[in-house]
Amino acid sequence: MISIYNKNIEEIIFSLLKETDKEKIREIVEEIHPVDFLEFLENYEEEFYNIVEKLPDDYIVELINEAEIEDKLDIINKISEDRKNNVIPDISSDELVDMLEEADEEQKQDIFEYLDEEDKDEIKELLEYPSDTAGGIMATEFLTVKEDMTMDETIAYLRKMAPDYQTPYYVYVVDDDNILKGVVQLRQILTCNSDTKIKDEMITSVISVDVNTDQEEVAVLFEKYGFASMPVVDEKNNEILGIITFDDIMNVITEEHTEDMYHMAGLDTEEELTGDILTSVKSRSMWLTINLFTAMLASSVVGFFEGTISQIVALATFMPIVAGMGGNAATQTLTIMIRGIAMGELNYENEKDVLKKELCVAIMDGLIIGVLIGVITYIRVRNIAFGVIISCALLFNILVSAIGGFFVPITLKKFNIDPAVASSVFVTTMTDMAGFGCFLGLATIFMKYLT
């Protein structure tokens, strides 16, 4: 493959428009990775149709498999009817499912017209699985062999069948009822003696996922074991239904991380960088409205100490510091906790140890920041009591942020609420109320030392 940094892809692709020799066109496109080709096409919509029409059918299939969902449909819509007949049946099942989930009824019917009855039934069955489960992201093009086959027989079979299937790094061993019995690595097949039987080399303790497993849990297993693919089975009888490949799970990881980031900021996951203004306003305004009411709760605490503030105006100068430091500390704890929950690292066995760690960190950070702000405050207002009060308030607020950052996401998770969606609202309100309450409360108690 060529690199976009050492060769001008734009010139190469435009040369396709002048080329008529099909073999020459194939030679040209084989030197360009489909991802690079797609990046080029994004900037040349006017030439899109003419360029794609020049491409070999199998390369168009590669483009569709690599493209974003909306781009997959765009490519399908722009190729001729004759090309669709050759291209659509060769698109991998998991990519077809993704396309059909986003397509309107007319597009769905158009795509189904080019599939034979067997493929239609298979795709319809896949569409019944929720899109965020193992069944929703698996592909059904996978290689299986029987345990009594020899290595020579297996190699001959792979030569014949592998081009039509997903990545053949692992070959799954099944019985006559398609029950998963084991797995053999491609390396073993190539290096073992030709008359060695599959059953003598296969691994029988196969790590697989149930078809209804959430995609986040699947991602955790891929990260844990580092597999290139993983079989998806029916948990009742261990029948292999499909496989999930590493490239699919990378998309899931990106999707889940993006979703968590958006949720923590109170954004709709559908919002795009260059999207519609009204859509963005709609998705953000609801979250901002919720934040408005929680902010009013915090302000009510401040209002309770209005008399103290009116007598010691300097308190108003330092209040944002107390609230801001508590919010920042809470964000740190929440980030660790939400990631731990999402990746399956936090469990019942280690909850106490994690809580102890977060409390220790909070106390140490609180002491460091508390002493620092105390010194700065003394330098500014020349009052030791003022410095001690704000130091204690910051230490207390950072401790509250750790407690809230630990318990809030765990509690939400137990109620089947996504911790990334609601945690920040609750914890920020907690830290603001605790910080203002402690700071202004201490100032009220020790007012005679501040004036």
Side-chain angles (χ1 to χ4, degrees):
M1 294 291 176
I2 63 174
S3 168
I4 60 174
Y5 300 109
N6 59 30
K7 213 160 186 178
N8 194 330
I9 287 183
E10 184 174 332
E11 290 181 6
I12 297 171
I13 294 178
F14 272 121
S15 69
L16 290 173
L17 292 172
K18 303 174 184 178
E19 189 60 59
T20 57
D21 187 318
K22 291 185 178 181
E23 287 304 316
K24 182 65 175 175
I25 291 173
R26 180 174 291 279
E27 289 177 11
I28 293 173
V29 298
E30 283 179 351
E31 293 297 316
I32 307 173
H33 195 284
V35 172
D36 293 331
F37 209 114
L38 288 166
E39 287 181 356
F40 169 84
L41 290 176
E42 286 178 4
N43 300 317
Y44 290 91
E45 292 187 9
E46 292 181 4
E47 293 86 3
F48 188 104
Y49 179 80
N50 291 331
I51 293 172
V52 171
E53 274 297 303
K54 292 270 188 178
L55 301 176
D57 292 339
D58 56 347
Y59 194 78
I60 294 178
V61 172
E62 289 186 51
L63 286 180
I64 293 171
N65 284 336
E66 294 288 348
E68 298 295 328
I69 295 176
E70 59 271 15
D71 295 329
K72 296 178 194 292
L73 292 168
D74 198 27
I75 295 173
I76 288 291
N77 291 334
K78 288 184 177 178
I79 61 177
S80 64
E81 297 299 314
D82 290 339
R83 304 297 296 278
K84 288 180 182 179
N85 199 46
N86 297 326
V87 169
I88 292 178
D90 286 341
I91 300 173
S92 61
S93 58
D94 54 333
E95 302 297 343
L96 271 175
V97 168
D98 289 342
M99 288 169 55
L100 290 166
E101 285 176 337
E102 296 297 321
D104 57 36
E105 285 304 316
E106 186 177 342
Q107 289 173 320
K108 287 180 182 178
Q109 293 303 318
D110 184 47
I111 292 172
F112 273 121
E113 282 182 15
Y114 297 95
L115 300 175
D116 60 33
E117 290 304 317
E118 184 179 346
D119 287 340
K120 284 181 186 178
D121 292 340
E122 186 176 274
I123 296 300
K124 287 177 180 177
E125 186 175 334
L126 289 174
L127 284 168
E128 292 179 4
Y129 296 112
S131 59
D132 58 354
T133 63
I137 59 175
M138 72 179 180
T140 54
E141 299 87 1
F142 57 94
L143 287 162
T144 61
V145 295
K146 299 297 173 61
E147 59 185 347
D148 288 327
M149 292 174 65
T150 66
M151 295 302 173
D152 262 3
E153 290 171 339
T154 302
I155 291 172
Y157 174 75
L158 292 180
R159 283 174 180 162
K160 179 182 177 182
M161 304 298 294
D164 297 325
Y165 287 83
Q166 289 275 355
T167 314
Y169 299 129
Y170 307 120
V171 180
Y172 298 102
V173 186
V174 297
D175 62 15
D176 293 334
D177 295 319
N178 211 38
I179 305 301
L180 183 63
K181 308 298 287 186
V183 62
V184 183
Q185 294 185 33
L186 187 59
R187 175 171 51 83
Q188 292 173 279
I189 296 171
L190 295 174
T191 57
C192 286
N193 293 330
S194 59
D195 57 349
T196 302
K197 289 188 179 292
I198 289 290
K199 64 183 178 182
D200 296 326
E201 292 294 327
M202 71 178 186
I203 299 169
T204 55
S205 54
V206 185
I207 296 171
S208 59
V209 293
D210 176 60
V211 69
N212 295 308
T213 303
D214 186 272
Q215 62 180 12
E216 281 193 72
E217 295 180 39
V218 178
V220 170
L221 289 174
F222 266 88
E223 184 180 43
K224 179 178 180 179
Y225 294 106
F227 291 151
S229 65
M230 193 175 293
V232 181
V233 299
D234 179 354
E235 195 173 40
K236 291 181 181 179
N237 52 26
N238 209 41
E239 178 186 359
I240 184 168
L241 303 174
I243 64 168
I244 298 172
T245 54
F246 187 75
D247 58 329
D248 294 323
I249 216 63
M250 284 296 293
N251 293 334
V252 169
I253 292 170
T254 302
E255 176 187 319
E256 293 291 343
H257 284 184
T258 301
E259 184 179 293
D260 286 345
M261 287 174 60
Y262 272 47
H263 282 164
M264 287 188 72
L267 296 175
D268 192 319
T269 54
E270 299 301 317
E271 184 174 339
E272 297 179 357
L273 184 65
T274 57
D276 178 64
I277 293 175
L278 290 178
T279 301
S280 295
V281 171
K282 183 180 177 181
S283 71
R284 300 184 194 189
S285 59
M286 184 183 71
W287 200 251
L288 290 173
T289 302
I290 294 172
N291 279 339
L292 172 63
F293 286 105
T294 57
M296 289 174 67
L297 282 175
S299 70
S300 66
V301 175
V302 177
F304 186 77
F305 296 99
E306 189 175 339
T308 302
I309 298 172
S310 65
Q311 294 184 55
I312 309 170
V313 179
L315 291 171
T317 306
F318 290 91
M319 282 166 51
I321 297 175
V322 176
M325 292 305 300
N328 289 336
T331 299
Q332 291 176 337
T333 305
L334 277 177
T335 301
I336 295 295
M337 292 297 296
I338 290 172
R339 183 190 180 278
I341 291 171
M343 300 305 294
E345 295 173 358
L346 184 70
N347 51 56
Y348 180 77
E349 287 74 21
N350 64 12
E351 279 184 2
K352 290 183 179 178
D353 291 334
V354 173
L355 177 59
K356 288 179 183 177
K357 176 238 178 183
E358 289 301 321
L359 291 177
C360 288
V361 170
I363 291 170
M364 294 177 71
D365 281 343
L367 289 172
I368 293 169
I369 300 301
V371 170
L372 185 59
I373 191 61
V375 172
I376 294 172
T377 302
Y378 174 74
I379 293 172
R380 288 184 60 181
V381 301
R382 297 295 176 179
N383 188 304
I384 293 177
F386 206 119
V388 172
I389 287 172
I390 194 170
S391 295
C392 292
L394 269 179
L395 172 59
F396 177 73
N397 205 18
I398 291 175
L399 191 59
V400 169
S401 73
I403 295 170
F406 177 84
F407 283 106
V408 168
I410 287 179
T411 303
L412 291 173
K413 185 68 176 177
K414 288 180 179 178
F415 284 97
N416 294 319
I417 301 172
D418 187 350
V421 176
S423 293
S424 61
V425 173
F426 290 113
V427 177
T428 301
T429 304
M430 284 175 61
T431 56
D432 284 351
M433 294 178 70
F436 291 145
C438 182
F439 181 47
L440 297 175
L442 289 173
T444 302
I445 295 170
F446 298 102
M447 186 182 298
K448 66 180 181 180
Y449 298 104
L450 301 178
T451 54

